[in-house]
Amino acid sequence: MIRVDLHVHTTYSPDASINPKTIVDQLYAHPSIKALAITDHNTVEGYYKVQELASAYPDILIIPGAEISTTDGDIIVLGTTALPAEPRTVKNVIDYAKEKGALTIAAHPYRAYGLGDLTRKYNVDAIEVLNGASPPDVNKLAENLAKEMHLPGVAGSDAHQPTDLWTVYTEVQASLRVDEILEAIKQGFVRVGSTRLLTDF
Ligand SMILES: [Zn+2]
């Protein structure tokens, strides 16, 4: 069993300020979270930079990914560095991800830029039920949606600045390998957890 943060932004997102080196240093030093997905907005440049730095360290893992803006809301795609072509409709992004063997997650469905109730129309692989940048009631709606759709619920900090890191994590029944982690998520061998107190919101 490992702990993974499935939603992290770097300076390669226009609205984020986390340096790739900070991510790698803190991940390596973290007592329990040993893997994370780089999910910059519509780019994998940040992933490449973080991965380049991380390759010097043992026992940590960086999952390639991106948070893709679609016409109806954000979708996280994990496990590929190939970005879908325009127009990025929800259907195009999901079809493309499946073609690449990648995993799709409805990011913070009930927050701004989330898919909301439209998520029901699409066959995403998982729902982000614990987003570190969303209040508890908004996460609760996402959790209810995952239950209703019988989909795995995952967690990601959605960190945009260094102090946002390591707030929440997904426990995955897998070893420290990208393919195993993605497969375990698809199978629902996951549990979400938070390192924060509710009063931190
Ligand atoms: Zn995000």
Side-chain angles (χ1 to χ4, degrees), residues 7 9 39 41 67 108 158 160:
H7 190 162
H9 293 269
T39 55
H41 297 292
E67 184 170 26
H108 45 69
D158 202 358
H160 282 72

Side-chain angles (χ1 to χ4, degrees), residues 39-69:
T39 55
D40 281 313
H41 297 292
N42 309 304
T43 178
V44 289
E45 292 302 309
Y47 159 73
Y48 283 124
K49 190 67 203 169
V50 172
Q51 173 56 30
E52 185 191 321
L53 296 170
S55 59
Y57 292 78
D59 307 323
I60 58 172
L61 180 77
I62 310 299
I63 301 169
E67 184 170 26
I68 307 289
S69 316

